[in-house]
Amino acid sequence: MPARAVLTSYRRLFAAPGAVAFTLTGLLGRLALSMNGVALVVLLSERRGSYGLAGAVSAAGLVAGAVGMPLIGRLVDRYGQARVTVPAALYNAVPLTGLLLCVRLGAPDWMLLLCSAAGSAAPNLGGMARSRWAHLYRDDPAARHLANSFEQALDELCFMAGPVLAMLLCTTLAPEAGLITAGTLGATGALLFAAQRRTEPPLPPAPAQGREPAGPRHGSPLRVPGLRVLVLTFLATGTVFGATEITTVAYADALGHKASAGLLLALFAAGSCVAGLLFGLLTPRRAPGTRFLLGATAMASVLLLPLAAGLGGAGLGLLGTALFAAGTATAPTMVTGMTLVQELLPQRQFNEGMAMAVSGIVVGISAGAALAGTVAERAAPGTGYLLPAAAAGLALLIALAGRRHLTARGAAAAAPPEKVPGGVPGGVPGGASSGAPENAAQIVSPTL
C-alpha cells in the first residue's frame, strides 16, 4: 500500500482537537519507559560491576510496577487522569533520585532494591491515551480500531528507539545519563499529558438508584471472565517478548556479533510496528473475539520461524528475516486484545483493566527473560527459541479455552451501535456519549 494512502488514513484520527497534543506528550513518557531497563542495567554493571545485581534491581521494579500499575489505573478511573497523573509523576522522581544517589554513594544493595520497588507508581500513559481515543471516537468503531492499531505501532516504535537511545547516552556521556534522561522525559511527558484537559475523558456518572449492574460497584475488573482470559494470554505473550530478547542476545554473542543483537531485536519490533499500522487500515469484518483467536494462531505459527533458524544454526541475516516475520503477528493480537478490554469493561474501569493487561505483559517479560537466561547458559545457541514458540502456543491454548467469554461480547460489539439522542453521527468529538462501554457491564454480567 502506498505510503501516502497510509498517511491519509491515519490523518483522520487527528481531526479531533487536541489529539496531536496528547499523542506527542504521551509518547515522551512511553519512550522513557522503554529506556529504563537498558539504562539501569548499564548503570549498575558499570558502577557496581554486577549483572546479577542489575537484573535483581530491574526485576524488583518490574514486579512492583506490575502490582502498582492497576492500583494507579483504579485511581485514574475514580478521580480522573490529571488528578492522579500529576502527583504520581512527581512522586516517581523521588525514588529515582534516591536510586541514583545510592549508586553514587555506594549504598548497600538492599537500598537499591528498595528504591527500584518504590518507583512503582508510574502512570500507564499508553492505556490513558487509548482511553482518550475510545472517548473521542466512542460512536465510530472503525476509528477506534485505527487508533488502537496506531497506539500499538507507537509502543513498538518506542521499544525500537528507547534502548538504542539509552545505550548511546550511557556509553557516550556517563552511565547515569540514560536513567537521568529517562526520568526527565517520563516526568515531563506525564505532566504535559495531564495538562491536555480538553481530551481527558469525563468521569462516568454514578448509576441511578436501582440500575446498578450486577456485582459490586467497585469490584475488580478481573471479575469479568473475559478479562481473566486476556490477562493470562498477555502474560504468555509477554513471555514471548522476554524470551526472544535474551535468546537473541545470546545467539548473536555465540556467533561473535553481540553488538548486532540490538539490530535483530529492532527488526522484530519493526515487523510488529509495520503490521500494526497496516492492520489498522483493514476494515474489521469479524467479531473481536474471533480476530483475537486468529491473531494468536498466527503468532504461534510464525514464531516457529526463529526457532527453525536458531536450531538450524542460521546466520544473522536469515535470523533477522525470521524475527521480522515473527513480529508481524504480535501487533494484530495486541491491538485486538486491547480492543476487547475496552469492549468487555464498563467505562469506569477502562484504565484499571488496561493496566492489568499491561501488568500481565510485564510479568511475562520478566519470566521469559529469566527462563531464557537459564537456557542460554545450559543449552546450545538457538535452543532458547523454543521458549517463545512454546509461550505463543500457550497463549493460543488459553485463548481457545476462554473463547466463549470473548466471542459472546465480541458478537455484541460487532452489531451496529444504537443511535443516541443528541449524539453526533460518525463519532465526531463533542457529541453525547453513547453509553456503550457502561452497557458492557450488563452484557457480560450473565457470565460473572
Side-chain angles (χ1 to χ4, degrees):
M1 179 174 292
R4 180 176 297 180
V6 175
L7 291 175
T8 300
S9 298
Y10 278 94
R11 190 181 299 150
R12 80 184 190 97
L13 281 179
F14 298 98
V20 174
F22 83 72
T23 298
L24 292 179
T25 54
L27 186 60
L28 284 179
R30 292 153 77 176
L31 180 63
L33 180 65
S34 67
M35 295 172 61
N36 280 333
V38 171
L40 184 59
V41 169
V42 174
L43 171 63
L44 293 181
S45 62
E46 287 291 328
R47 297 304 189 197
R48 292 295 181 95
S50 172
Y51 281 102
L53 175 62
V57 173
S58 179
L62 287 173
V63 172
V67 175
M69 194 178 294
L71 298 179
I72 294 296
R74 173 172 287 202
L75 292 176
V76 169
D77 286 327
R78 188 170 298 183
Y79 299 110
Q81 294 186 359
R83 292 180 63 187
V84 175
T85 300
V86 172
L90 296 176
Y91 160 78
N92 263 0
V94 176
L96 174 61
T97 303
L99 178 62
L100 290 168
L101 289 174
C102 287
V103 173
R104 184 72 175 177
L105 300 176
D109 293 348
W110 66 266
M111 293 187 67
L112 302 179
L113 294 168
L114 182 62
C115 288
S116 181
S120 60
N124 180 20
L125 296 184
M128 286 192 281
R130 288 177 171 89
S131 180
R132 293 191 182 215
W133 288 120
H135 171 67
L136 289 174
Y137 294 107
R138 54 196 173 275
D139 299 324
D140 190 344
R144 292 200 304 272
H145 170 71
L146 195 66
N148 282 333
S149 300
F150 179 72
E151 288 296 320
Q152 185 62 37
L154 287 184
D155 284 340
E156 300 298 342
L157 180 63
C158 287
F159 280 95
M160 286 170 59
V164 175
L165 177 58
M167 182 66 73
L168 181 65
L169 291 169
C170 290
T171 55
T172 59
L173 296 179
E176 294 84 1
L179 207 56
I180 292 174
T181 303
T184 303
L185 288 177
T188 303
L191 293 176
L192 291 176
F193 180 90
Q196 312 305 314
R197 301 301 296 269
R198 62 177 172 174
T199 53
E200 179 178 347
L203 294 176
Q209 187 70 24
R211 299 185 62 182
E212 179 77 20
R217 177 175 175 184
H218 295 301
S220 170
L222 288 176
R223 294 176 64 89
V224 178
L227 184 63
R228 296 199 294 268
V229 174
L230 290 171
V231 170
L232 289 175
T233 307
F234 282 154
L235 192 150
T237 305
T239 305
V240 170
F241 298 149
T244 299
E245 180 176 353
I246 300 301
T247 301
T248 300
V249 172
Y251 189 85
D253 191 18
L255 294 182
H257 298 283
K258 187 176 181 179
S260 301
L263 177 60
L264 293 173
L265 293 173
L267 287 172
F268 182 69
S272 183
C273 181
V274 172
L277 289 174
L278 296 179
F279 184 67
L281 301 178
L282 301 178
T283 302
R285 300 188 184 280
R286 298 175 185 267
T290 303
R291 299 202 308 270
F292 189 69
L293 288 174
L294 291 174
T297 302
M299 186 170 66
S301 300
V302 296
L303 276 164
L304 296 175
L305 297 176
L307 174 61
L311 294 180
L316 296 182
L318 184 57
L319 178 61
T321 303
L323 287 171
F324 181 87
T328 59
T330 59
T333 308
M334 300 291 292
V335 169
T336 309
M338 287 299 181
T339 300
L340 274 169
V341 172
Q342 297 172 5
E343 296 284 355
L344 288 167
L345 295 178
Q347 183 184 353
R348 64 176 182 273
Q349 291 183 319
F350 264 17
N351 291 283
E352 185 179 2
M354 283 188 280
M356 286 180 171
V358 174
S359 293
I361 297 171
V362 169
V363 172
I365 290 175
S366 302
L371 290 172
T374 302
V375 172
E377 291 179 352
R378 302 182 180 182
T383 307
Y385 284 116
L386 283 167
L387 290 174
L394 178 60
L396 175 59
L397 291 177
I398 294 171
L400 285 172
R403 64 188 182 277
R404 177 172 63 90
H405 301 302
L406 303 177
T407 55
R409 173 57 187 139
E418 296 181 2
K419 294 294 183 181
V420 182
V424 179
V428 178
S433 174
S434 66
E438 202 61 44
N439 292 336
Q442 298 178 2
I443 294 175
V444 299
S445 60
T447 64
L448 292 177

